[in-house]
Amino acid sequence: MFSKIFLYLVLLIQLFQHHVDSSSIMTIKPTELIFDDTTARGVGISTPAESPMTVSGLSSTLSSSAVITVQIWFTHTYNADCTIRLYHPDGTYITLSERRGSSYDNVFDGTIFSDSASNYVATYSFTKDGVVSTLRPENPFTTFRGKAANGVWKVWVVDHAGGDTGYLNRVKLTISGII
């Protein structure tokens, strides 16, 4: 009897611990998944930077009340040159930002993209260098509701013009209400 309880406790502890893969951490809670990738990647002209996040072990699809947010730490010297997307494991994607940010530097260096944000990235009036904290993406995250949660999700960033540089330094994907 004691050995069964011990094994059960070990299993519960394992479920709530961080799972480490390189410089990525995935945390699974009963109703929330958080994936934090801290690998810095250069963003090149027509050579996208990709932050892959492998989700496994979940038995359900994204519910009709699932909430997805993405926080990125993306530095770039001319943000309007870049496209930022979130890809679902089935290959479909939503655009977080399509060549937004005007000529300003580093406006997405810590930005949270959320469907509930009051500022919409497509109409936001970027006025200076520096981070815009929370923005609604070009396409809603609700697009992914009803789809499988397992598989490789990825944030994808590409620079469409030369003469400047950028780095995707960190990505944090949070999915709530999946289980």
Side-chain angles (χ1 to χ4, degrees):
M1 176 70 174
F2 176 75
S3 63
K4 286 183 181 180
I5 293 172
F6 178 75
L7 287 174
Y8 180 72
L9 288 174
V10 169
L11 178 63
L12 282 175
I13 291 168
Q14 187 65 23
L15 283 173
F16 289 96
Q17 285 184 341
H18 296 287
H19 299 277
V20 178
D21 175 27
S22 180
S23 60
S24 302
I25 297 174
M26 181 171 67
T27 305
I28 301 174
K29 297 178 182 177
T31 59
E32 184 176 60
L33 176 137
I34 302 168
F35 199 98
D36 195 355
D37 180 5
T38 58
T39 303
R41 297 167 172 87
V43 176
I45 302 167
S46 301
T47 306
E50 295 182 351
S51 173
M53 299 159 277
T54 303
V55 175
S56 62
L58 299 176
S59 60
S60 63
T61 59
L62 297 175
S63 72
S64 61
S65 61
V67 176
I68 300 172
T69 61
V70 170
Q71 184 171 14
I72 63 170
W73 287 262
F74 172 55
T75 55
H76 197 277
T77 54
Y78 198 94
N79 286 273
D81 287 349
C82 301
T83 299
I84 307 167
R85 295 178 181 159
L86 174 64
Y87 279 82
H88 181 270
D90 70 6
T92 59
Y93 65 86
I94 64 164
T95 301
L96 302 177
S97 175
E98 181 65 48
R99 301 183 80 149
R100 307 290 178 190
S102 194
S103 62
Y104 300 111
D105 295 356
N106 307 325
V107 297
F108 300 118
D109 189 20
T111 299
I112 298 170
F113 288 94
S114 169
D115 284 346
S116 63
S118 58
N119 293 314
Y120 180 44
V121 70
T123 58
Y124 186 77
S125 221
F126 295 89
T127 58
K128 62 180 179 164
D129 296 344
V131 180
V132 178
S133 61
T134 307
L135 291 170
R136 204 164 6 119
E138 303 263 348
N139 308 120
F141 289 110
T142 55
T143 302
F144 299 130
R145 288 180 177 170
K147 294 184 176 219
N150 290 327
V152 179
W153 293 75
K154 67 181 171 185
V155 169
W156 178 97
V157 182
V158 69
D159 186 343
H160 297 287
D164 40 35
T165 59
Y167 292 91
L168 181 59
N169 295 303
R170 183 177 176 192
V171 173
K172 187 174 182 180
L173 169 70
T174 303
I175 305 173
S176 302
I178 55 174
I179 299 173

